[in-house]
Amino acid sequence: MSDFPDDIPFFGEPDVPATPTPQAGPKAGIAARAMQARNQQRGEPDYLQGLNPEQRQAVETTEGPVLVLAGAGTGKTRVLTTRIAHIIQQNLAFPSQILAVTFTNKAAREMKERIGHLVGGAVEGMPWLGTFHSIGVKILRRHAELAGLRSDFTILDTDDVIRLLKQLIQAEGLDDKRWTPRSFSMMIDGWKNKGYGPSDISEGDARAFANGKGRELYHAYQERLKTLNACDFGDLLLHPIRIFRNYPDILREYHAKFRYILVDEYQDTNTAQYMWLRLLAQRPSTQSSPAQTKNTPNATDWSPEPMRGPHGASERSELGVSAKINICCVGDDDQSIYGWRGAEVDNILRFDKDFPGATIIRLERNYRSTPHILGAASYLIAHNEGRFGKTLLAQAASEDDEKVHVHAAWDSEEEARAVGEEIEQAQRQGHLLNDIAILVRASFQMREFEDRFVTLGLNYRVIGGPRFYERQEIRDAMAYFRVVAQPADDLAFERIVNTPKRGLGEASLRLVHDYARARNIPMLLAAEDLIATEELKPKARSALREVVENFQRWQGLIDNKSHTELAEIILDESGYTAMWQNDRSAEAPGRLENLKELIRSMEDYESLRGFLEHVALVMDTEKNENMDAVNIMTLHSAKGLEFKTVFLPGWEEGLFPHQRALDEGGRSGLEEERRLAYVGVTRAKKNLHIWFVSNRRIHGMWQTTIPSRFLEELPEEHVDIAESDSSYGGGYGQSRFDNVGRGDPFANSYSTPGWQRAQQNRSDATRNNWGSRSGSNVERIGYGEADSGFGAGRGSVKGKVIDGELVAKSVSSTASAFKVGDRVFHMKFGNGNVASIDGNKLTIDFDHAGQKRVIDSFVSPV
DNA sequence: CTCAACTTACTTTTT
DNA sequence: GTAAGTTGAG
C-alpha cells in the first residue's frame, strides 16, 4: 500500500501544508507558476521539482532494474507516481505500456489519481495499473480457455471456497470436524501463495492434511472449480503463470507490451507474485530484434522448484537475463508485516541477485516524524537481524517536540479511559480528531475504546474489518444476481435456494446436487429436470419449481430491464426483501437499508455483469470520511497512513508481541512483530503515546500481563515514561522495565497513590463526562454487521449502538430536534416513537426492540 | 425441516 | 465474553 498522505513538505521546506505540485491546475500560485516557467526554461520538467536527490534518481533511472528502498515516510508513493509521470512525459512509453502493480485497490486508486494530477487529464487512465489480482483477471479473461475456463468465469470469495471444500471433504468421507474446510482452505492458500499446483505438493505437505489426502483433495478442488467455471483468488495469479510458462508466444506478447514494470510494496510479494513478475520481467528489451529473442532463456525454465531452498538465489541469478529489464520495485523490508499470509521478505532482500546490475536507491530522508519518534523507531527496528539496514534521517528538531510517551495503566478499561481523556484534551486545544489514531494489535482491543468513546460522546471511526460486501444480506443478494447472470454458478445457487426458507432442506438439496454431479450439469438445470420427475417430495417439488421458474423469468428480463430494476425485481419476487421485513430482530431494518444501498451502488455500473466483477475484486466501497473523528484500526491496516498523534495501546507480552506469532513463527515471528511495532511508531508525525496495562481480559479471563519487550527496546533519550497518569507507576519508571516480568510486579499496585488516583479519576470521569457533550457520531469504514453488539446495553449508555456506515452523519450540537411522540428510525432497532427526551438522548419505544435509550444523531425522522 | 440450546474456539487481512 | 457452528428435540 502506498504512503497515503505523503504529499510531504519537501526537505528543507518546513511544514508547508501539502500543496499540489505547481502543475496541478489553474489554482497554482503565481510564485509556483513563475518557478514552473523558470524550470521549463532550463528544460526541467516541473514535476521533478522538490524531489530530493535520491528521489530524483529513483524517478530518472528509468532503464534497467531498480530497487527503491523507501523507509517510512520518505516519499515512496511520490517517487512511484512521479516516475510513471516521467516515463509518460518523456515519451518513453504509452500509458498502456506500463505495468504497475499494487496490493490493494486503495493504493491503485490513489496512484491513478496522483498520476492524473501530474500528467494532467491528457492521459486516459492506465489500463495496467492495478492490483496483482485485477491485472491477473484481465490476463486470464483473455486466455481463459488455456486454463480450462470460459472467459466469463466467476471469481469465488472465501465463503464460497469454504462451502465448496466442505462438500469435497464430506464427499471424501472425512470428518469435517477433524479436518475443517477452513484450515484446508488456508492450506490451499498457502500452496497457491508458493505457486504450487496439486502436482507440486510434496509428500510431506500432502500428508499434512487428512492423512495424506491433501493432494488428492486439492486436485479434486481444482477440478471442481473447472466444472464450475470458477476460480479462487490464488488462481488469478497461478493460471496466468501457467499460461505464461506453457505458451511462450503469449508471454512474448506481454513482453512486447510492457516496457516498464513498477511494483509497490515489494516486501509484501509472495512467491507466486514473484514468479508472475519474473515471468513478465525476464525478457529481451522491447526494441529487440527477433534474433535476440532466441538468446533469451525460455520462460518455461521457471518452475516453482527452485523456490524451495532457503536461498535459491543462485539458481535464479543463473538465468542470465542479459537484456534490460525496466523493472522498478519499491518497498521497505522493515515494513514487511504480511509474512503470515505468504509474503517473502526474501524477495526484496535478494533483489540485486535476481536482477544483476540492479540500481539500489535508498530513500532515507524522513519528512514525517519528529527526531524523537524517528529515534525510537530506528532504535527499535535495529533489534532485527537480516535487514537491508537504513538510517532514517529526521527533519530538524523543533523546540516543542515531545518525546515518545510511555504510559502504564491498571487495566484495559483504564487505558481506554485515559486515552479518551488525553484525546479530549487535545481536542480542547484545537486538534482535529481526524489527526488522531489508535492503532491496536488485535481487533478485540477496539471494543474497549469504542465503549469509552461512546460514553464520552467522542466521534470515532473504525477502519477495516468486515466489509460491506461481506455482510450476509449483501452476499445473499449477490448470490441471486450471480445465478441470474451465470446459471452455472452452483455455489450461488446453493447459497440462496433455501433463503428465504422454502422447505428445501439438506435432503432435497442433496438430490439436486447428486443429479447435477452425475450428469455434469449445473444445479439449476438439474433442478429443472427433477421437478418433472417424482423423485422429490411434493412439498419440496413445488417449492423448487417456483425457484426455477423465478430464475427463468428473471433471466428473460436481463435484456429488457435495467440491471438495477432487475435487481429490485429479483429481491422482491424471491421473497428475500420480505424475509427481512418480517424479521423481528433488531438488525433487520439495517439489513434492508444495506440492500437499498447495494442497489444504489449498482447504478454506477453498466451491467449486472460489470457490477459482479467489481464486487468480486474490489471488496470495498468508498466511504464518506467527512466527519471529524478519531481513527481506530489495527496496526496492519495502518500501514501507509500517517497521523499527527498516535496511540499504541496494549504493549504487553503475549498481546504484542502476540503469543501466537512467537509460538508459530519463532524468531522470525518475533521480528515480524517488531516490524509491526516499527510500522506503528512511524505512523506518528508529532505525538506518540504507547500504553501497557497490568491486567487484561483475554478470552474472557482476567490475566496479569507484563510489559512488552519492545518497550525495553526503546532508546532512553527519546522516551518519556509518564508516571503521573499511571495507576502503577512506582518503580517502573526508574528501572525502565528491566525488572519487569519476574515475580509479581503488580502485587501492591492497588495501594499505590497512582492506583488510588486512578480510581478517583475514574469516578470523576464518569460523572463529569457523561452527558456533557453531543452524541458521539460513529462511522465504520467498511465495517460489517450492523450490530456486533458493540456498545449496546453496557454501562450508562444502554442502547447506544455503533452501527454500520449508513448511520446518519449529522452532528447536532444543539438540543434535540425531536419531540415526544415523533416517529423515528434507528439503524439497529428499526422504527419507534420518541417517549422522552433528555438533552441529546432520546428514550424511544421501538416497535420490535422495546424501549431503548439512544443518542439523537443515531435516529432519523420517518 | 426448523428452531433453540449447547459447545467450542479465539491474531493480523487483501484479493 | 462472545459469536458461530453443531446437535437434538419438536
Side-chain angles (χ1 to χ4, degrees):
Chain A
M1 205 203 297
S2 55
D3 275 16
F4 171 40
D6 69 354
D7 251 318
I8 31 121
F10 313 139
F11 203 61
E13 186 186 336
D15 224 343
V16 180
T19 42
T21 51
Q23 206 197 351
K27 279 184 190 162
I30 292 173
R33 252 180 288 162
M35 215 194 297
Q36 186 179 351
R38 195 190 62 207
N39 284 319
Q40 275 167 354
Q41 269 171 11
R42 285 210 317 246
E44 177 181 280
D46 45 85
Y47 54 78
L48 290 177
Q49 260 182 65
L51 294 180
N52 67 38
E54 301 81 45
Q55 291 175 329
R56 204 180 160 126
Q57 190 195 357
V59 167
E60 292 185 317
T61 312
T62 53
E63 307 307 300
V66 176
L67 175 64
V68 179
L69 285 170
T74 55
K76 172 170 60 89
T77 308
R78 188 189 170 92
V79 162
L80 217 39
T81 51
T82 312
R83 186 181 162 97
I84 292 173
H86 183 68
I87 289 169
I88 294 171
Q89 303 233 306
Q90 299 292 307
N91 289 322
L92 297 172
F94 293 119
S96 61
Q97 294 174 313
I98 301 170
L99 172 68
V101 277
T102 63
F103 277 83
T104 65
N105 291 300
K106 192 178 159 217
R109 221 182 297 136
E110 221 167 86
M111 272 178 64
K112 266 191 186 150
E113 214 167 280
R114 290 173 65 161
I115 294 166
H117 274 289
L118 286 171
V119 302
V123 178
E124 278 304 308
M126 295 212 358
W128 298 97
L129 189 165
T131 61
F132 277 100
H133 296 268
S134 65
I135 290 169
V137 192
K138 206 162 176 172
I139 293 173
L140 191 51
R141 292 249 187 251
R142 295 190 169 184
H143 316 287
E145 71 291 351
L146 301 180
L149 297 168
R150 282 179 283 118
S151 73
D152 64 343
F153 61 83
T154 347
I155 301 159
L156 302 184
D157 61 32
T158 334
D159 230 46
D160 295 320
V161 169
I162 286 177
R163 278 182 301 129
L164 202 152
L165 287 176
K166 189 170 181 177
Q167 290 174 7
L168 289 171
I169 288 170
Q170 285 171 343
E172 201 60 31
L174 293 164
D175 178 7
D176 63 352
K177 285 282 214 10
R178 174 82 182 74
W179 310 104
T180 66
R182 238 185 91 79
S183 64
F184 191 48
S185 92
M186 293 197 310
M187 203 174 279
I188 290 180
D189 246 21
W191 287 332
K192 290 193 171 178
N193 284 157
K194 291 192 185 126
Y196 299 160
S199 51
D200 301 314
I201 304 306
S202 71
E203 274 307 314
D205 278 359
R207 216 166 293 285
F209 193 82
N211 312 314
K213 286 192 174 161
R215 191 192 289 136
E216 240 174 275
L217 273 168
Y218 183 15
H219 186 76
Y221 169 68
Q222 290 302 129
E223 283 306 305
R224 199 70 186 86
L225 287 180
K226 232 181 260 181
T227 61
L228 285 168
N229 189 34
C231 23
D232 61 18
F233 284 120
D235 288 341
L236 298 179
L237 283 169
L238 284 195
H239 284 319
I241 289 175
R242 226 163 282 139
I243 291 169
F244 289 158
R245 286 211 190 107
N246 298 336
Y247 304 89
D249 289 357
I250 290 177
L251 182 59
R252 227 168 282 136
E253 279 172 35
Y254 286 95
H255 285 169
K257 176 151 198 71
F258 300 131
R259 295 196 171 193
Y260 293 92
I261 299 178
L262 296 96
V263 189
D264 191 17
E265 303 283 16
Y266 190 60
Q267 79 281 354
D268 287 339
T269 47
N270 61 38
T271 305
Q273 287 158 339
Y274 170 82
M275 296 194 297
W276 187 89
L277 280 172
R278 283 300 308 247
L279 282 163
L280 286 169
Q282 165 212 316
R283 55 171 161 158
S285 88
T286 48
Q287 293 87 354
S288 71
S289 62
Q292 252 177 304
T293 314
K294 282 181 200 151
N295 299 332
T296 312
N298 192 317
T300 50
D301 290 351
W302 270 94
S303 62
E305 275 67 36
M307 301 295 165
R308 292 248 168 101
H311 294 288
S314 60
E315 287 155 281
R316 276 186 203 92
S317 47
E318 277 163 23
L319 275 169
V321 184
S322 51
K324 246 187 219 159
I325 300 170
N326 299 324
I327 185 170
C328 172
C329 297
V330 180
D332 180 358
D333 49 317
D334 290 333
Q335 291 189 66
S336 159
I337 54 176
Y338 286 109
W340 52 275
R341 68 179 197 210
E344 294 277 345
V345 210
D346 240 33
N347 289 346
I348 195 168
L349 295 176
R350 47 145 217 268
F351 184 88
D352 52 336
K353 299 197 181 63
D354 287 339
F355 299 98
T359 311
I360 297 184
I361 299 166
R362 286 180 160 78
L363 303 183
E364 298 180 305
R365 303 193 203 194
N366 176 294
Y367 299 97
R368 182 187 289 156
S369 312
T370 65
H372 284 311
I373 291 169
L374 230 42
S378 306
Y379 193 86
L380 174 73
I381 198 65
H383 290 78
N384 272 2
E385 288 171 5
R387 17 186 326 251
F388 255 115
K390 292 182 300 302
T391 321
L392 286 182
L393 303 172
Q395 291 166 289
S398 127
E399 277 295 308
D400 56 347
D401 279 353
E402 284 178 33
K403 290 187 173 183
V404 173
H405 294 283
V406 174
H407 311 253
W410 170 249
D411 62 12
S412 46
E413 198 191 326
E414 191 199 311
E415 179 184 57
R417 200 209 84 239
V419 169
E421 258 164 37
E422 223 161 321
I423 291 173
E424 287 193 305
Q425 201 182 327
Q427 197 184 21
R428 278 194 292 274
Q429 286 164 6
H431 287 71
L432 279 177
L433 298 181
N434 279 334
D435 290 335
I436 300 173
I438 297 173
L439 311 180
V440 298
R441 172 67 245 264
S443 41
F444 72 82
Q445 291 173 263
M446 293 180 181
R447 194 207 170 111
E448 216 109 27
F449 290 97
E450 296 194 53
D451 280 359
R452 188 61 200 162
F453 293 174
V454 165
T455 49
L456 291 177
L458 200 58
N459 292 350
Y460 69 88
R461 72 171 69 86
V462 173
I463 296 173
R467 274 158 290 283
F468 185 71
Y469 291 114
E470 284 170 8
R471 296 166 191 207
Q472 184 194 334
E473 65 275 17
I474 301 302
R475 292 196 143 161
D476 288 343
M478 297 296 301
Y480 272 104
F481 303 157
R482 275 163 60 186
V483 177
V484 173
Q486 290 161 139
D489 195 333
D490 283 0
L491 288 162
F493 178 81
E494 280 178 274
R495 180 177 180 111
I496 43 77
V497 71
N498 197 32
T499 312
K501 302 265 187 291
R502 303 186 170 97
L504 289 166
E506 213 183 318
S508 321
L509 209 56
R510 167 112 279 138
L511 208 63
V512 180
H513 188 265
D514 290 346
Y515 186 93
R517 279 284 61 70
R519 266 148 268 246
N520 218 0
I521 56 170
M523 285 177 74
L524 189 62
L525 285 180
E528 222 170 290
D529 284 0
L530 279 170
I531 52 180
T533 69
E534 300 290 323
E535 293 203 51
L536 286 158
K537 294 207 184 78
K539 232 198 223 153
R541 189 173 156 192
S542 67
L544 192 60
R545 173 176 295 125
E546 204 193 319
V547 174
V548 170
E549 285 170 358
N550 273 340
F551 275 115
Q552 286 167 341
R553 191 174 60 258
W554 296 328
Q555 277 156 18
L557 291 176
I558 284 189
D559 297 323
N560 308 329
K561 299 264 182 206
S562 78
H563 60 290
T564 46
E565 241 179 310
L566 178 59
E568 275 173 343
I569 291 172
I570 293 170
L571 294 185
D572 214 28
E573 292 183 356
S574 62
Y576 192 73
T577 317
M579 176 181 104
W580 289 117
Q581 277 162 352
N582 299 331
D583 191 307
R584 321 215 120 240
S585 72
E587 63 263 30
R591 295 190 193 273
L592 285 165
E593 201 58 35
N594 288 341
L595 290 172
K596 275 190 207 145
E597 171 70 24
L598 176 70
I599 306 248
R600 224 173 299 146
S601 69
M602 287 175 75
E603 287 168 9
D604 300 340
Y605 297 85
E606 283 180 11
S607 65
L608 192 56
R609 178 139 317 160
F611 179 70
L612 291 174
E613 170 103 355
H614 161 83
V615 175
L617 284 173
V618 185
M619 293 290 279
D620 61 2
T621 40
E622 302 199 24
K623 283 291 162 286
N624 19 346
E625 286 180 58
N626 31 25
M627 78 178 189
D628 188 37
V630 179
N631 301 284
I632 304 178
M633 69 193 91
T634 63
L635 285 161
H636 283 91
S637 40
K639 187 157 77 140
L641 305 178
E642 59 176 16
F643 302 91
K644 196 166 171 189
T645 302
V646 169
F647 292 89
L648 301 174
W651 281 42
E652 298 121 39
E653 284 294 302
L655 177 59
F656 194 34
H658 199 280
Q659 194 54 50
R660 202 136 145 192
L662 301 179
D663 292 347
E664 290 169 15
R667 188 182 171 87
S668 69
L670 173 64
E671 296 211 340
E672 183 155 314
E673 294 287 291
R674 195 177 279 117
R675 290 194 291 269
L676 198 50
Y678 173 79
V679 167
V681 170
T682 52
R683 296 311 93 192
K685 291 200 267 191
K686 291 239 175 297
N687 308 300
L688 177 62
H689 298 270
I690 300 175
W691 285 82
F692 66 97
V693 305
S694 36
N695 293 282
R696 190 175 289 278
R697 197 164 48 196
I698 296 166
H699 302 333
M701 303 257 279
W702 280 101
Q703 301 210 300
T704 300
T705 52
I706 60 174
S708 169
R709 67 190 75 185
F710 298 151
L711 288 168
E712 297 177 57
E713 297 172 359
L714 297 174
E716 218 156 334
E717 76 257 40
H718 295 302
V719 174
D720 177 52
I721 294 167
E723 268 189 76
S724 57
D725 50 357
S726 146
S727 59
Y728 97 77
Y732 285 96
Q734 294 89 328
S735 63
R736 287 198 67 255
F737 321 106
D738 286 347
N739 58 349
V740 166
R742 326 285 165 253
D744 183 2
F746 316 108
N748 55 6
S749 298
Y750 290 104
S751 52
T752 63
W755 169 246
Q756 281 162 7
R757 197 165 45 245
Q759 293 302 302
Q760 188 59 45
N761 287 347
R762 188 189 317 236
S763 47
D764 284 345
T766 21
R767 228 186 6 260
N768 295 339
N769 291 317
W770 176 227
S772 62
R773 20 170 10 110
S774 68
S776 82
N777 211 344
V778 176
E779 111 190 289
R780 300 209 136 203
I781 307 249
Y783 222 85
E785 290 306 308
D787 53 89
S788 0
F790 278 114
R794 243 188 320 279
S796 44
V797 270
K798 206 165 189 114
K800 181 70 177 67
V801 162
I802 292 108
D803 247 339
E805 63 273 359
L806 295 169
V807 158
K809 296 296 190 301
S810 64
V811 188
S812 58
S813 51
T814 50
S816 177
F818 299 97
K819 56 184 192 300
V820 173
D822 276 1
R823 187 88 178 135
V824 294
F825 171 76
H826 185 279
M827 284 304 299
K828 175 162 175 152
F829 303 122
N831 291 319
N833 297 309
V834 177
S836 69
I837 299 170
D838 170 21
N840 64 330
K841 287 178 284 297
L842 311 173
T843 306
I844 296 173
D845 289 319
F846 287 103
D847 300 353
H848 298 305
Q851 194 178 76
K852 304 273 180 196
R853 208 151 172 246
V854 300
I855 290 180
D856 61 358
S857 52
F858 279 82
V859 299
S860 50
V862 179

